[in-house]
Amino acid sequence: MAGFIGWTLAPLGWSFGVLALLLAAAVPLFATRARQMPPADAARSVALDGFVVASMIVPLIFTLWPGDPGAAARPNLIPFRDLVNSLDMPSYYVRLAVANLLGNVVLFVPWGMALALRFDGLRLVGCAATTAAIAVGIEIWQAGIGRSVDVTDVLMNMLGGAIGFWCARLVVVAAVDAETAIVPRDGR
């Protein structure tokens, strides 16, 4: 457990540092856009662009952080093999496999939300294709840095992107419905 905590602290620190730089870059970007459009629109535009970038920074840092330098990449092209294999092992391994699946989903939920909010015309297929392309790129990179390569990670990343996409779309639809709702004058 101490090894896991130590492994997560370094990428987490990098994530906060990069997010701070992103926030610093947002100020001049807002100033430039505020000259071209109303300040409220400029703020919305910069915030959505920042959300897209920030939603990808943390997954990239965590997934591209080097693994064990002496380890060779173990490609797994059979979906859910680790989960199935763990069923014959002590419960710790099952919990670890399920946590890995859920972690890969959660990692990409903000990405799907950011895409849905930033790109109005984007459809679920476009979000899934973009997420798949990024996830495949991550897996290829992981092969080169001694991390495991797993097709299940790609599938779970796509699921996370899709969940985020639909959550954001539902929030937008609810907000539009609330904004356009007709309230009777008598308050009922």
Side-chain angles (χ1 to χ4, degrees):
M1 185 67 166
F4 174 75
I5 292 172
W7 182 87
T8 57
L9 288 180
L12 196 58
W14 274 95
S15 297
F16 285 126
V18 173
L19 290 173
L21 288 174
L22 177 64
L23 187 59
V27 174
L29 183 60
F30 169 76
T32 302
R33 289 189 181 168
R35 285 187 228 120
Q36 302 164 350
M37 59 182 74
D41 292 343
R44 181 180 187 278
S45 172
V46 170
L48 289 175
D49 287 347
F51 186 30
V52 170
V53 174
S55 69
M56 191 42 51
I57 287 173
V58 174
L60 286 177
I61 288 176
F62 270 93
T63 58
L64 300 181
W65 199 260
D68 181 6
R74 305 176 328 265
N76 173 25
L77 301 178
I78 301 171
F80 306 103
R81 181 193 310 187
D82 288 345
L83 180 62
V84 170
N85 288 345
S86 72
L87 296 176
D88 293 335
M89 298 178 180
S91 65
Y92 166 79
Y93 294 100
V94 175
R95 289 193 308 267
L96 186 62
V98 170
N100 183 41
L101 293 174
L102 294 176
N104 275 298
V105 170
V106 169
L107 209 53
F108 277 80
V109 168
W111 169 252
M113 294 176 78
L115 289 181
L117 295 172
R118 176 62 181 92
F119 303 104
D120 292 334
L122 185 68
R123 300 179 63 154
L124 180 61
V125 172
C127 178
T130 304
T131 306
I134 290 170
V136 167
I138 287 170
E139 294 302 314
I140 291 169
W141 184 274
Q142 284 181 336
I145 61 172
R147 301 269 306 267
S148 66
V149 176
D150 196 337
V151 70
T152 307
D153 293 352
V154 174
L155 296 173
M156 294 297 98
N157 296 159
M158 286 176 58
L159 178 61
I163 290 170
F165 180 89
W166 281 113
C167 286
R169 288 293 159 98
L170 289 173
V171 166
V172 168
V173 166
V176 168
D177 286 350
E179 192 175 287
T180 60
I182 299 173
V183 179
R185 289 193 178 155
D186 62 0
R188 283 189 266 166

